[in-house]
Amino acid sequence: SLEELLTQGKIIPDLRKPFTQQLIRECIAEIFDRFPQLDGLTIRTGEVYLQDCPHHTGGNIIQGQVENHILLANLLREEICVKRGKKVIYRTWDFGLIHTNEENFLRLCAAVEPHPLFIFSIKHQKGDYHRNTVFNPTINKGVHRFQVEVQCQMEAYGKGAHPYYVGKGVIDGWDEYRWLQPDYPYHGLRSLCGSAQFTGVWTWSRGGGWRGPYISNELWPSLNAYVISNWAQDTTRSEESLFNEFVQRFLGLDGRNTELFRKMMLLSADAILKGQLTSYYASMNPWWTRDEFLGGINQLKTDFDFFLRHQLVDKILAEKGEATAIWKQIEAIAQQLEVSNAEQASFIRTSAAYGRIKFAIIEQGWIVMLKGLQGDSTGVYDKTAIEKAIRQYDALWEEWKQLKAN
């Protein structure tokens, strides 16, 4: 009974118990009775933070059970869609139980009768918003309507502090899909256009991550959000036409400068993959850097051991050098661009320099770490390369401080 639960000081959210289900139904009734103009609810179960709610519990109502997803989804469908004619946007993000597990997702789909107002919401990548991952295998599976979630300011890739354009990769498919999943029928969002279940796109226009960098200019996430959201409204449009529309409308660039700007953005997507991850190893830990933090051996030891075992050190470091060279190209193009808005012109140049310094720092750090581990395993250290990288690493950090100061 409620009295017994309250004497214990807590209510345990067990979906299998009728009382828990009754509480959820009552909460739904209170929401829509008080706010009848609401179109519906977005439901998030897999990652719930309650640091500022000390008297609540969360994140555990599913308890790792597909059966609990089935109970909750059916309850929400009945109370919100059937009884009230409102929408349910049911987010599948849950660290892999149904979000990326096709078998479990299809179990859930089979146990919930389709309804035009019940919509699954699924991130486009398998897992979180990272490169070098395949298209999410749960997308366009089953018979339910679904929308796709896309992040425009990625916490693991600069958070808008340096260029990173995702529009082409998200809409038409990333380059790495060619070797990660060459025969898979779905890749970019465009490949879903023939699906009757594909009902929309949700952009995380800002947000993602816990800390900095904290941007004062929204140009890079704005570009991503504009291209992706406007494509969703007219899927016959090409990604490039929407890109050009943005830069001409909001930056006032002419044809020549539009071409230069596009070259810079396409280079940024290539530079991110080669500079922060690698095309030689798809299972690399993508979280070794996020927000304003650069990790090291503690986060990368498993990956570095793989590189050493498979004699990939030289190839990996060459790839990091290639990424730095690409960022130098990006920086050079930023200096050439003729942008009439002085504030935007300054930001483009500064953020390009920021990106070049950041990825050059990554390159030197990786030289020290990989060459050091290589020496640990062989007893022979490439001291010349390590010492040079340390000097460059220190100089780059000083350059970064000067960039901020100036």
Side-chain angles (χ1 to χ4, degrees):
S1 69
L2 179 58
E3 290 75 17
E4 290 172 330
L5 289 167
L6 290 175
T7 58
Q8 298 171 22
K10 61 184 176 180
I11 295 176
I12 300 171
D14 186 342
L15 272 170
R16 295 167 298 180
K17 295 182 177 180
F19 184 69
T20 303
Q21 296 175 29
Q22 179 189 342
L23 286 177
I24 295 173
R25 292 179 194 274
E26 293 292 339
C27 286
I28 290 170
E30 288 185 6
I31 289 169
F32 286 104
D33 287 348
R34 185 169 183 180
F35 303 107
Q37 71 273 33
L38 283 178
D39 294 317
L41 297 180
T42 296
I43 307 300
R44 168 175 172 157
T45 61
E47 189 178 8
V48 180
Y49 302 104
L50 295 166
Q51 290 94 328
D52 57 347
C53 301
H55 303 295
H56 296 72
T57 62
N60 57 356
I61 195 166
I62 298 300
Q63 298 177 334
Q65 301 294 321
V66 177
E67 290 73 16
N68 283 338
H69 269 298
I70 292 169
L71 283 170
L72 180 61
N74 276 300
L75 187 157
L76 295 168
R77 179 188 178 280
E78 178 188 341
E79 288 291 328
I80 300 174
C81 304
V82 176
K83 189 179 294 186
R84 292 176 173 84
K86 305 286 189 175
K87 283 184 180 179
V88 169
I89 308 294
Y90 196 96
R91 294 194 63 211
T92 61
W93 175 243
D94 65 354
F95 302 114
L97 178 63
I98 60 168
H99 182 251
T100 58
N101 187 309
E102 184 179 351
E103 180 182 352
N104 286 345
F105 179 70
L106 289 175
R107 279 179 60 198
L108 170 60
C109 290
V112 180
E113 184 181 350
H115 191 285
L117 295 176
F118 187 94
I119 300 167
F120 284 114
S121 190
I122 310 169
K123 294 183 182 183
H124 64 96
Q125 300 289 140
K126 185 179 181 181
D128 220 330
Y129 295 108
H130 286 292
R131 293 290 299 278
N132 231 14
T133 54
V134 298
F135 201 62
N136 199 329
T138 60
I139 289 178
N140 208 33
K141 304 296 169 63
V143 295
H144 289 75
R145 299 179 77 200
F146 68 92
Q147 65 181 26
V148 179
E149 301 181 17
V150 181
Q151 195 176 40
C152 301
Q153 183 194 12
M154 285 64 65
E155 64 263 35
Y157 302 100
K159 296 187 76 171
H162 58 66
Y164 180 35
Y165 178 57
V166 305
K168 182 172 175 58
V170 168
I171 293 171
D172 294 322
W174 293 108
D175 288 344
E176 56 263 35
Y177 288 164
R178 289 178 296 165
W179 68 82
L180 288 175
Q181 48 181 172
D183 301 319
Y184 195 67
Y186 309 117
H187 32 88
L189 299 185
R190 193 180 301 281
S191 65
L192 302 171
C193 286
S195 168
Q197 286 87 254
F198 182 33
T199 191
V201 176
W202 170 26
T203 62
W204 297 46
S205 303
R206 290 288 305 273
W210 294 105
R211 299 280 295 276
Y214 305 104
I215 59 175
S216 56
N217 186 308
E218 298 184 333
L219 177 60
W220 306 129
S222 293
L223 170 62
N224 289 326
Y226 184 91
V227 170
I228 292 164
S229 62
N230 280 277
W231 177 84
Q233 294 172 64
D234 182 0
T235 58
T236 66
R237 294 283 302 273
S238 70
E239 167 272 325
E240 185 172 2
S241 72
L242 290 162
F243 178 97
N244 293 343
E245 182 177 281
F246 176 90
V247 297
Q248 290 160 12
R249 179 178 174 186
F250 295 103
L251 294 176
L253 301 189
D254 60 18
R256 172 184 171 275
N257 283 287
T258 296
E259 289 180 11
L260 285 172
F261 191 82
R262 181 165 177 80
K263 181 179 181 182
M264 184 168 71
M265 291 300 97
L266 296 181
L267 284 171
S268 74
D270 191 28
I272 289 286
L273 179 65
K274 292 175 178 175
Q276 200 162 311
L277 299 168
T278 176
S279 56
Y280 294 102
Y281 181 50
S283 298
M284 185 180 147
N285 172 21
W287 287 118
W288 74 273
T289 173
R290 65 169 291 170
D291 297 324
E292 78 269 39
F293 303 108
L294 291 174
I297 287 177
N298 287 345
Q299 293 79 29
L300 289 165
K301 187 65 166 63
T302 300
D303 308 304
F304 284 176
D305 286 345
F306 178 90
F307 301 155
L308 289 166
R309 285 198 311 274
H310 292 84
Q311 299 181 325
L312 289 171
V313 170
D314 291 342
K315 289 183 177 180
I316 295 292
L317 293 181
E319 193 176 44
K320 295 293 166 283
E322 186 181 352
T324 300
I326 294 171
W327 279 104
K328 289 179 179 178
Q329 279 186 268
I330 292 170
E331 188 177 22
I333 294 171
Q335 295 291 338
Q336 296 173 44
L337 276 175
E338 298 170 352
V339 182
S340 58
N341 183 305
E343 182 181 345
Q344 290 288 35
S346 176
F347 174 73
I348 291 168
R349 291 193 296 269
T350 303
S351 67
Y354 178 103
R356 187 262 305 165
I357 297 169
K358 170 185 167 180
F359 282 86
I361 284 172
I362 289 172
E363 179 194 2
Q364 304 312 316
W366 278 50
I367 290 171
V368 173
M369 291 187 290
L370 278 171
K371 291 286 187 182
L373 288 171
Q374 199 173 45
D376 289 346
S377 64
T378 64
V380 179
Y381 293 87
D382 188 345
K383 294 182 180 179
T384 300
I386 293 172
E387 289 173 356
K388 180 182 177 182
I390 290 172
R391 287 194 299 272
Q392 291 186 328
Y393 182 87
D394 291 341
L396 285 161
W397 275 109
E398 286 303 315
E399 185 181 4
W400 197 331
K401 292 174 186 176
Q402 288 302 312
L403 181 71
K404 182 178 189 299
N406 295 332

